[in-house]
């Protein structure tokens, strides 16, 4: 399984764009990149998943360069409610069962 | 559609007692995961099933822990005997083979 490295914590202010970068130097050909969000006292929640280039949904964008050795989760115009832990995961989703291992995550704190 | 349902939400027990946590995955999902989360160790994958078959239980701490999935709609995680260091929030999650996990609300276990 590809190991991921992301910042332990980040601070931001309301209304700003937040970019969280994740390094995954040994990503394999079949691996996808997935990001989750976790609020206190809740289970993680899927945000976005991608394989290459750019993926966008109603919540976030995911930028993946051509070499796929890193990825950046972009949260546009964050609010106080975006304060949470964000996890980057890398793995092959097409094998029989996807062994999903979470790292330490990035603790985002949004200030007023 | 109902999400992943876990029970009990909270359990307080004494050291040495048996604890059984229950999980009902989302209907149609073919993978099920048990995680444990503590402040010290973060979110740890204990075991995961695919099509009701345990695929990887290397995260199970020791023989005191066991998990079963007798059918596609039910799984249990049992701790016998329980110890104070087992105190944690235990999450169950289910997924299709796309890799997007859906988490339950968790079972908070306190072992005195």
């Amino acid at each position: 399984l590809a190991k991921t490295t992301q910042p332990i914590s980040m601070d931001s202010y309301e209304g700003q764009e937040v970019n969280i970068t994740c390094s995954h130097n040994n990503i394999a050909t079949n691996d996808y990149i997935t990001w989750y969000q976790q609020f206190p006292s809740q289970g993680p929640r899927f945000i976005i998943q991608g394989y290459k280039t750019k993926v966008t949904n109603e919540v976030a964008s995911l930028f993946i360069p051509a070499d796929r050795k890193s990825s950046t989760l972009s949260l546009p115009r964050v609010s106080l409610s975006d304060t949470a832990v964000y996890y980057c995961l890398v793995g092959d989703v097409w094998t029989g069962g996807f062994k999903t291992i979470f790292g330490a995550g990035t603790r985002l704190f949004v200030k007023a | 559609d109902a999400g992943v349902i876990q029970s009990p939400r909270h359990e307080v027990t004494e050291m040495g007692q048996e604890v059984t946590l229950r999980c009902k995955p989302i209907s149609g999902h073919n993978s099920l995961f048990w995680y444990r989360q503590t402040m010290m160790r973060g979110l740890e994958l204990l075991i995961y099933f695919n099509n009701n078959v345990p695929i990887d239980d290397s995260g199970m701490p020791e023989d005191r822990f066991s998990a079963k999935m007798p059918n596609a709609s039910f799984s249990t995680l049992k701790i016998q005997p329980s110890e104070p260091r087992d105190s944690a929030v235990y999450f169950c999650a289910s997924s299709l083979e796309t890799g997007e996990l859906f988490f339950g609300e968790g079972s908070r276990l306190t072992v005195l």
Side-chain angles (χ1 to χ4, degrees):
Chain A
L1 294 172
K3 178 179 168 62
T4 60
T5 302
Q6 44 182 135
I8 294 174
S9 65
M10 295 180 67
D11 288 343
S12 183
Y13 288 93
E14 281 190 293
Q16 289 188 333
E17 178 185 77
V18 171
N19 296 309
I20 306 175
T21 297
C22 178
S23 297
H24 28 81
N25 291 320
N26 58 340
I27 188 170
T29 302
N30 293 334
D31 286 347
Y32 278 68
I33 301 156
T34 311
W35 285 79
Y36 286 83
Q37 174 191 56
Q38 185 179 25
F39 297 114
S41 301
Q42 295 184 25
R45 183 183 69 162
F46 173 90
I47 300 176
I48 198 166
Q49 184 180 77
Y51 183 80
K52 62 181 179 181
T53 62
K54 177 183 175 183
V55 179
T56 297
N57 61 24
E58 66 278 7
V59 176
S61 294
L62 178 59
F63 298 92
I64 305 169
D67 66 6
R68 305 202 323 124
K69 293 184 182 301
S70 67
S71 60
T72 299
L73 174 72
S74 181
L75 304 172
R77 298 180 298 282
V78 295
S79 64
L80 296 176
S81 63
D82 292 317
T83 293
V85 179
Y86 293 82
Y87 297 95
C88 165
L89 290 80
V90 174
D92 181 355
V93 305
W94 300 116
T95 56
F98 177 33
K99 184 172 181 176
T100 309
I101 294 182
F102 288 76
T106 297
R107 190 171 299 273
L108 173 65
F109 185 68
V110 180
K111 296 178 276 191
Chain B
D1 186 19
V4 175
I5 299 172
Q6 291 187 244
S7 64
R9 291 294 312 281
H10 302 273
E11 173 138 358
V12 180
T13 189
E14 293 187 345
M15 183 174 64
Q17 296 297 306
E18 177 179 293
V19 173
T20 299
L21 307 178
R22 298 172 178 80
C23 176
K24 177 178 169 55
I26 293 174
S27 177
H29 282 190
N30 60 350
S31 292
L32 183 139
F33 303 76
W34 282 101
Y35 290 88
R36 175 173 70 176
Q37 187 168 38
T38 62
M39 288 294 292
M40 291 293 294
R41 295 188 297 268
L43 200 59
E44 302 173 277
L45 175 63
L46 301 178
I47 185 171
Y48 78 100
F49 297 83
N50 185 252
N51 294 321
N52 311 338
V53 176
I55 302 299
D56 190 328
D57 65 355
S58 59
M60 296 285 262
E62 49 198 272
D63 292 345
R64 297 185 298 106
F65 285 68
S66 63
K68 294 182 180 180
M69 192 164 187
N71 57 62
S73 60
F74 184 67
S75 177
T76 60
L77 177 68
K78 185 174 293 187
I79 308 172
Q80 166 63 19
S82 59
E83 297 182 3
R85 60 192 168 122
D86 301 330
S87 297
V89 179
Y90 290 81
F91 288 105
C92 175
S94 69
S95 76
L96 291 170
E97 289 177 347
T98 57
E100 178 181 346
L101 266 64
F102 294 82
F103 282 78
E105 294 184 333
S107 295
R108 181 176 295 276
L109 172 65
T110 301
V111 183
L112 303 175

